């Protein structure tokens, strides 16, 4: 549950009060995911696991039906997960999402069409805008930004900004410039 504490901390950093946090349906969806993921990973004693699985299934279905949030408990999501708004978020069970990632509403992270295998792997500190779809066996680099309504079907390098259908890299991170070496000293040739 340390990951859920980090999730809450991200909301606090954005200025949410305690009452705003606990009344936010996005937090409920994240809590349902963390609970279901904990059951899948830690596998508690069978007499405890069965009733907890029933509770997890009911809360998962509540999130799916009433909030349109389908965050599969089998997905791997790092700490500090932030969802800006509820509605339309679908995350494939095989998806991998790094730490401190932000998702807006109407985001899909899943497989590509016609049954081709593979799902996206997102690095740390990735932002995915409203209505974006990330599909197929692709890698999204650390610090990448996916603009609203973008279809991403190819790899995205670290720090890049992608937009369009299909997504194209619009900005790349500025590389740190190394200082030029000092000029060589002239020797006295006598």
């Amino acid at each position: 549950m340390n990951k859920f504490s980090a999730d809450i901390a991200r909301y606090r950093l954005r200025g949410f009060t305690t009452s705003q946090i606990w009344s936010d349906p996005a937090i409920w969806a994240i809590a349902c995911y963390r609970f279901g993921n904990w059951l899948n990973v830690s596998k508690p004693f069978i007499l405890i696991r069965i009733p907890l699985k029933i509770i997890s299934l009911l809360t998962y279905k509540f999130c799916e039906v009433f909030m349109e949030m389908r965050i599969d408990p089998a997905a791997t999501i790092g700490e500090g997960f932030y969802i800006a708004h509820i509605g339309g978020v679908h995350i494939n069970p095989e998806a991998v999402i790094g730490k401190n990632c932000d998702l807006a509403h109407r985001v899909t992270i899943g497989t590509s069409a016609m049954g081709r295998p593979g799902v996206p792997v997102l690095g740390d500190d990735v932002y995915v805008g409203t209505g974006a779809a990330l599909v197929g066996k692709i890698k999204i680099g650390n610090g990448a930004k996916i603009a609203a309504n973008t279809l991403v079907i190819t790899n995205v390098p670290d720090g890049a900004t992608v937009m369009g259908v299909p997504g194209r890299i619009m900005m790349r991170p500025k590389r740190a410039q190394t200082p030029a070496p000092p000029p060589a000293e002239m020797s006295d040739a006598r």
Side-chain angles (χ1 to χ4, degrees):
M1 288 299 170
N2 291 342
K3 288 183 179 180
F4 187 62
S5 298
D7 300 335
I8 297 296
R10 291 276 323 279
Y11 280 82
R12 288 197 188 284
L13 282 173
R14 293 176 181 259
F16 282 69
T17 65
T18 302
S19 62
Q20 288 172 324
I21 288 172
W22 294 112
S23 63
D24 188 341
I27 288 286
W28 303 347
I30 293 171
C32 289
Y33 160 76
R34 294 286 183 208
F35 179 62
N37 184 259
W38 172 78
L39 281 173
N40 284 343
V41 172
S42 69
K43 300 194 186 304
F45 182 65
I46 190 93
L47 292 176
I48 296 170
R49 188 176 345 141
I50 292 172
L52 291 180
K53 283 257 188 193
I54 293 169
I55 293 169
S56 176
L57 177 66
L58 292 174
T59 57
Y60 176 77
K61 286 300 178 186
F62 172 81
C63 289
E64 185 177 17
V65 171
F66 293 104
M67 296 190 293
E68 292 186 55
M69 303 285 282
R70 187 173 191 173
I71 307 171
D72 197 285
T76 304
I77 301 175
E79 61 189 40
F81 189 47
Y82 178 85
I83 300 175
H85 307 286
I86 67 159
V89 174
H90 296 272
I91 300 176
N92 188 283
E94 297 173 21
V96 177
I97 299 174
K99 297 186 299 187
N100 299 321
C101 289
D102 295 4
L103 267 62
H105 56 290
R106 302 281 175 227
V107 169
T108 299
I109 299 173
T111 59
S112 57
M114 297 184 274
R116 284 178 265 167
V119 294
V121 174
L122 280 66
D124 297 337
D125 303 307
V126 172
Y127 170 79
V128 182
T130 302
L134 291 70
V135 295
K137 189 174 183 175
I138 59 173
K139 292 189 180 189
I140 309 298
N142 295 332
K145 294 171 184 62
I146 311 300
N149 299 317
T150 297
L151 172 63
V152 183
I153 55 175
T154 58
N155 293 339
V156 176
D158 290 350
T161 301
V162 177
M163 61 178 43
V165 178
R168 292 184 318 263
I169 297 172
M170 301 309 257
M171 288 192 280
R172 292 187 183 268
K174 292 181 181 176
R175 296 179 190 241
Q177 293 182 340
T178 55
E185 293 183 38
M186 300 181 125
S187 60
D188 290 333
R190 296 180 194 207

